[in-house]
Amino acid sequence: MSFDEVVVLNVGGTRFETIRGTLTSHPHSMLVKLFHPYSPNQMESAQDGSYFLDRDPETFGQILTFLRYGYIANSSKVDLDKLLIEANYFQLTSLEAKIQEIKSKNLPTVPRDLIKFNVDGTNVMHVTKEKFGDVPFHEILRAAGGVMDNEGAIVVLPDNSDTRPDIDEYQAQSQFYFMQAVNVIEDNGRAKATGPFKKFARRIKALKEEYDDSD
C-alpha cells in the first residue's frame, strides 16, 4: 500500500478513480483518517476493491478537483452552500476557508468599505471595515459563527443565546452591546471585551493581533 496506489471510490453510485496521495493531501481531514496507508482507521473495501461513500457524487467531484489542484473549478456555477456542507463533513478546513472567501466576494448588498451584520436577529447594522484592521471578511464570518442571512449579513448572536431566559431584554439592547464590542475591537490598546458579545470581540482582537504581526 503506497501513496501512488490507485483508489476506486463509489460515491453515491458514481465511480471515481484517484490515487491515495491525492485523498490524503490535506492533513487532519477525514479522508486522511480513512485512506492514509498507516492510519488505524482505514476503510474496508467492498468485494470489488472499491470504497463506498454515501455522499453526493457531483459535489465530491468538486472536492477531488480541489484536492488535486487547490482551487474550486467553475466556482460561479457551483452550489457553494452544498459544497461547504461536504467540506465540513470531510473536515477540509482549507476548502471551507476558500468557499467563505468566494462567498464574501460575491456579496453585492453592502458598499465595499462596510460590513453588514444581523445582530441578534433584531438589528441590521453596517460597520466600517477599518474597525477590523487587516482581518479578512472570511475570518470575521468564522469568528461570528460562520452564518449569513438571506441578505448577505453576518449573523452575530450574543453569548449563550440559546439558553439565557432574558433574551427579549438582550434583543432590545443588542445594538448598544454590539457597538460596545466593536469599539473594543477597534481599540488597539488593552481594552477588554465585556457584555453579551465579548466572545466575538475577543476572537476578532486576537485575529487583529495575528494579522498585524504578519505585516
Side-chain angles (χ1 to χ4, degrees):
M1 186 179 295
S2 70
F3 290 107
D4 294 327
E5 176 188 0
V6 175
V7 177
V8 178
L9 302 169
N10 176 357
V11 182
T14 300
R15 178 188 175 99
F16 292 89
E17 292 187 18
T18 185
I19 60 172
R20 198 172 291 273
T22 296
L23 290 173
T24 59
S25 59
H26 286 247
H28 311 301
S29 72
M30 180 188 292
L31 293 170
V32 170
K33 298 174 185 177
L34 296 179
F35 294 104
H36 194 283
Y38 304 113
S39 171
N41 302 310
Q42 287 186 48
M43 284 190 70
E44 292 187 8
S45 62
Q47 291 184 351
D48 64 356
S50 67
Y51 296 88
F52 178 73
L53 296 174
D54 188 19
R55 309 302 298 180
D56 177 66
E58 181 179 356
T59 309
F60 189 79
Q62 287 288 338
I63 287 176
L64 265 187
T65 297
F66 181 79
L67 293 175
R68 287 168 174 150
Y69 308 115
Y71 68 88
I72 300 173
N74 298 319
S75 59
S76 62
K77 300 179 181 179
V78 174
D79 186 335
L80 293 176
D81 291 328
K82 191 174 178 182
L83 184 58
L84 184 60
I85 291 172
E86 295 301 293
N88 179 264
Y89 175 81
F90 287 111
Q91 300 169 14
L92 292 163
T93 54
S94 55
L95 177 55
E96 290 182 73
K98 181 68 70 175
I99 294 168
Q100 299 290 16
E101 181 182 353
I102 293 172
K103 290 179 70 172
S104 69
K105 291 179 180 178
N106 291 338
L107 294 178
T109 55
V110 182
R112 297 186 67 178
D113 62 337
L114 297 177
I115 298 177
K116 185 177 180 181
F117 291 92
N118 177 337
V119 181
D120 206 7
T122 60
N123 292 292
V124 174
M125 302 179 63
H126 296 85
V127 181
T128 57
K129 288 184 177 181
E130 64 182 5
K131 291 183 179 293
F132 299 94
D134 294 328
V135 181
F137 182 92
H138 73 273
E139 292 280 25
I140 298 171
L141 176 63
R142 182 185 290 273
V147 178
M148 290 189 295
D149 66 15
N150 293 334
E151 301 299 322
I154 297 177
V155 177
V156 185
L157 298 176
D159 305 337
N160 301 319
S161 62
D162 57 336
T163 58
R164 66 176 192 275
D166 53 346
I167 185 170
D168 292 337
E169 177 183 348
Y170 271 111
Q171 285 179 336
Q173 304 178 56
S174 61
Q175 183 172 2
F176 167 79
Y177 283 122
F178 182 71
M179 285 311 301
Q180 185 182 65
V182 169
N183 289 334
V184 170
I185 291 169
E186 185 181 22
D187 183 359
N188 292 323
R190 296 186 176 182
K192 293 185 178 180
T194 59
F197 296 99
K198 65 186 176 204
K199 289 183 179 179
F200 172 71
R202 288 172 181 172
R203 290 169 187 157
I204 297 296
K205 279 187 75 72
L207 286 167
K208 278 188 70 177
E209 293 177 4
E210 177 182 333
Y211 278 90
D212 287 346
D213 290 342
S214 66
D215 290 342

